Amino acid sequence: MKLHWSPRSPFVRKVVILLQETGQQDKVDYVRSVAALAEPNAALMLDNPLSQIPALVLSSGEVLYDSPVICEYLDTLHQGPSFFPKDGAVRWLALRRQALGDGMLSILLLWRQERMKTAQQQLPSWLAAFETKMNASLDRLEQEATALADGHFDIGHVTIGCTLSYLDYRFADIDWRAARPQLAVWHQEFCRRPSVMATMPDDASA
């Protein structure tokens, strides 16, 4: 299998953490691919016409797009505890948390693009909307922090953890922990996992 990859993408990080957690990290060839919003990557588009990462090329030549699809596929290839509960309330809880984390990441990526514009180009209403949605999502997670800590580690935990780490990585000026002490403790524990430490975002790499 071939994975279009970047050390800075939080969506790719979800996939690589799952590979590490399930002992499959050596089954994949990692191809460094740049996926800039305004600059379509012609080489990447041969496998994913959306010019987005992650994209996983299977040995059959079929290509899977987007981290939820790729993670669920990879979860079928190992014999250990599943990261996608098969059914019942625990499955919908894991998928809801994944959706919340992915949605937060989408907001953060757009928010960062807006913040990188000049002051004259920025839309204050957009900036305010991004901040409002992010604070509401973080507050919701603070309410769930005890349940996060008690539950089986699954795709919901991977996604929420990657989201909070991306907030630290690209929005270091935002002190999200101050009003959310239980979530901060949970994230601290998340960051101690070997799979998480092995996938820290790296600005220095090519």
Side-chain angles (χ1 to χ4, degrees):
M1 295 183 288
K2 177 177 75 176
L3 178 67
H4 288 284
W5 168 90
S6 162
R8 302 166 197 161
S9 165
F11 294 109
V12 168
R13 193 179 187 193
K14 289 175 54 187
V15 173
V16 180
I17 285 176
L18 192 139
L19 285 168
Q20 295 254 351
E21 291 277 348
T22 59
Q24 301 184 83
Q25 63 270 29
D26 295 331
K27 294 182 178 178
V28 173
D29 293 326
Y30 298 85
V31 177
R32 179 73 170 89
S33 299
V34 176
L37 190 64
E39 299 177 16
N41 180 332
L44 172 60
M45 291 175 70
L46 294 175
D47 287 328
N48 182 354
L50 298 172
S51 190
Q52 293 178 344
I53 55 174
L56 182 69
V57 184
L58 308 183
S59 56
S60 65
E62 186 178 353
V63 185
L64 301 181
Y65 315 135
D66 213 357
S67 62
V69 177
I70 294 171
C71 286
E72 188 154 7
Y73 172 77
L74 292 172
D75 197 44
T76 68
L77 303 182
H78 69 97
Q79 301 302 314
S82 177
F83 279 69
F84 287 81
K86 301 306 179 190
D87 51 36
V90 290
R91 173 172 174 78
W92 300 117
L93 178 61
L95 295 183
R96 179 180 65 77
R97 286 175 174 159
Q98 179 177 223
L100 177 59
D102 283 344
M104 292 170 71
L105 283 174
S106 295
I107 290 171
L108 289 173
L109 294 176
L110 292 172
W111 193 1
R112 181 167 181 260
Q113 290 290 325
E114 194 66 17
R115 290 188 359 153
M116 292 172 67
K117 295 178 181 176
T118 66
Q120 292 74 23
Q121 294 174 318
Q122 291 177 347
L123 290 175
S125 60
W126 284 27
L127 294 171
F130 293 145
E131 183 173 6
T132 297
K133 293 176 183 180
M134 190 54 52
N135 282 331
S137 299
L138 289 167
D139 289 344
R140 181 65 58 88
L141 287 173
E142 173 68 9
Q143 296 171 9
E144 295 188 25
T146 300
L148 273 172
D150 291 342
H152 165 68
F153 191 73
D154 60 30
I155 192 61
H157 297 83
V158 173
T159 308
I160 296 299
C162 287
T163 301
L164 297 177
S165 294
Y166 187 78
L167 194 53
D168 288 339
Y169 175 49
R170 291 302 195 193
F171 294 80
D173 57 306
I174 295 178
D175 183 11
W176 61 267
R177 291 176 174 81
R180 303 167 187 98
Q182 295 184 83
L183 186 60
V185 170
W186 178 82
H187 183 246
Q188 187 176 38
E189 289 299 315
F190 170 83
C191 290
R192 289 180 176 142
R193 299 182 77 89
S195 64
V196 175
M197 291 191 287
T199 56
M200 292 292 290
D202 182 7
D203 271 335
S205 67

